[in-house]
Amino acid sequence: MPDVLEQFNQTGEKALADLQQVDSLDALEQYRVQYLSRKGEITGLLGLLGKLPKDQKPAAGQLANKIKNQVNQAFQQRQTELSSGKTKKSGPLFDVTLPGKKPNIGAKHLITQTTDELLEIFGRMGFDIGYGPEVEDEYHNFVALNIEKSHPARDPLDNFYIDDTTLLRTQTSTMQIRVMETRTPPIRVVCPGRVFRPDTVDATHMFMFHQIEALVVGENITMIDLKTTIDQFIKAFIGPDTKWRFRPHFFPFTEPSGEADLLLKDKHGNESWVEMGGCGMVDPNVFKSVGYDPEKYTGWAFGFGIERLAMRKYGINDIRLFYENDLRFLSQF
Ligand code: DAH
């Protein structure tokens, strides 16, 4: 082998051997200057070619290029290893003794949790559960509930109409009709679900929220039953010292009607009343629309906001928090 090729091979071997000793990125940079920069030893091999006799040039050129590529490749590999910490000195990439990362697993949304809890409380009081459609007809949302055509609640601007007679239900009271249409008394049922109203969104209003409707129908059912049931469920759900009040109101489908408010105390001890929803004794006209004899049966109903109940129980002051899907909020419950 001509001397020059021998010399090339030696330089290449030395370069590769030296690379094995490089154990830091700083050392790697020194290495690059020594071998691969413009004046480096490997680059220098190509410079030597010019000085060779013509007949040696092709073989020497080929070899110089081969060595240069080999060293470059080895250099890049070393660079990757050092940058990713995969070197003998820095040890294995993983410490298998460290505790693992806990994967994020889903959980029930606070509204679902609250609904489950309410259903459980009412279940203990002997209520069963009814579910019905969110897309409703005017008959179940208004007509059968004694809400006349001229009633302001039927204004198209206050409802999400889908066509002339179909809308997204504005209240779970629709379920009073749907349950009574298909069953005969005695009835004791709760119906949770979503309702929709084109309200301007603020801390206490949403265009979609949840209600839980309760309906009890039988012989000799009185307002005392209504008040006792509300009192018992409020105390079971929020706590035995919870204060609530009963306030007269008007609803077309109950007579007499009331609204129930919960007492809210903020962190400074200030008290205020928050409305939970409406209730009352089922209006005889509603019984007539489902073919029940109003002389024989009496009943009561209520429809309370589930978000309101959860807000009171957990001290949440803005209904929008339920629907922003912010895990910092949701994962607290
Ligand atoms: N549906 C009424 C509302 O959304 C609330 C309501 C009032 C429900 C009286 C009732 C009731 O069951 O008897 O405002």
Side-chain angles (χ1 to χ4, degrees), residues 170-173 176 197 209 211 213-214 251 253-254 257-259 275 277-282 300-304:
T170 57
Q171 49 185 358
T172 45
S173 301
Q176 294 186 28
R197 296 176 191 176
F209 58 97
Q211 286 184 330
E213 192 82 12
F251 292 101
F253 36 98
T254 38
S257 306
E259 278 192 328
E275 177 204 321
C279 57
M281 301 306 291
V282 179
W300 59 257
F302 70 63
F304 291 160

Side-chain angles (χ1 to χ4, degrees), residues 76-314:
Q76 272 163 22
Q77 193 183 337
R78 193 76 188 137
Q79 190 172 40
T80 317
E81 286 170 0
L82 288 168
S83 336
S84 67
K86 237 193 268 173
T87 63
K88 284 194 191 102
K89 281 193 181 152
S90 65
L93 198 56
F94 302 112
D95 179 350
V96 292
T97 64
L98 282 174
K101 273 194 194 148
K102 220 173 149 192
N104 262 336
I105 50 173
K108 279 188 183 170
H109 190 277
L110 183 54
I111 289 300
T112 311
Q113 286 180 42
T114 305
T115 308
D116 287 352
E117 194 183 343
L118 292 170
L119 293 179
E120 203 262 332
I121 292 171
F122 283 105
R124 290 202 307 252
M125 294 200 255
F127 284 72
D128 52 20
I129 306 170
Y131 295 101
E134 293 173 350
V135 176
E136 259 300 2
D137 47 54
E138 279 187 316
Y139 178 76
H140 288 90
N141 203 84
F142 299 124
V143 180
L145 286 165
N146 201 30
I147 305 175
E148 287 177 9
K149 190 104 198 138
S150 60
H151 194 284
R154 292 183 66 163
D155 187 333
L157 291 176
D158 289 330
N159 296 284
F160 288 116
Y161 269 92
I162 288 165
D163 61 33
D164 285 349
T165 55
T166 319
L167 72 164
L168 298 182
R169 69 177 175 197
T170 57
Q171 49 185 358
T172 45
S173 301
T174 53
M175 288 305 295
Q176 294 186 28
I177 306 303
R178 290 201 171 269
V179 167
M180 289 192 280
E181 274 172 348
T182 50
R183 290 161 63 167
T184 47
I187 288 171
R188 210 186 295 175
V189 68
V190 275
C191 308
R194 298 199 291 179
V195 299
F196 305 84
R197 296 176 191 176
D199 280 343
T200 309
V201 174
D202 62 23
T204 50
H205 293 91
M206 275 301 271
F207 44 81
M208 182 283 298
F209 58 97
H210 295 73
Q211 286 184 330
I212 183 162
E213 192 82 12
L215 174 71
V216 171
V217 184
E219 291 177 45
N220 304 318
I221 302 288
T222 70
M223 207 146 178
I224 297 290
D225 302 315
L226 168 62
K227 285 185 88 169
T228 312
T229 309
I230 297 178
D231 194 61
Q232 288 189 346
F233 113 76
I234 287 298
K235 288 178 174 163
F237 178 66
I238 300 176
D241 302 327
T242 314
K243 290 217 171 83
W244 69 281
R245 74 177 180 189
F246 208 43
R247 193 163 37 76
H249 201 75
F250 172 80
F251 292 101
F253 36 98
T254 38
E255 182 58 37
S257 306
E259 278 192 328
D261 302 333
L262 281 167
L263 186 65
L264 200 68
K265 232 188 224 172
D266 69 12
K267 0 183 224 287
H268 312 292
N270 301 323
E271 294 185 336
S272 58
W273 292 100
V274 224
E275 177 204 321
M276 249 185 322
C279 57
M281 301 306 291
V282 179
D283 194 289
N285 281 340
V286 173
F287 282 148
K288 278 185 209 151
S289 64
V290 294
Y292 283 9
D293 179 358
E295 296 302 325
K296 185 170 178 199
Y297 295 117
T298 51
W300 59 257
F302 70 63
F304 291 160
I306 295 182
E307 282 80 356
R308 293 268 172 97
L309 289 166
M311 287 166 82
R312 168 64 181 77
K313 176 163 173 160
Y314 298 103

Side-chain angles (χ1 to χ4, degrees), residues 18-44:
D18 274 2
L19 190 58
Q20 293 309 309
Q21 307 304 315
V22 170
D23 59 1
S24 70
L25 286 169
D26 283 348
L28 190 69
E29 175 56 16
Q30 278 173 24
Y31 179 92
R32 190 193 63 79
V33 174
Q34 185 184 345
Y35 287 104
L36 298 171
S37 64
R38 207 131 59 89
K39 289 188 179 151
E41 292 178 38
I42 296 294
T43 325

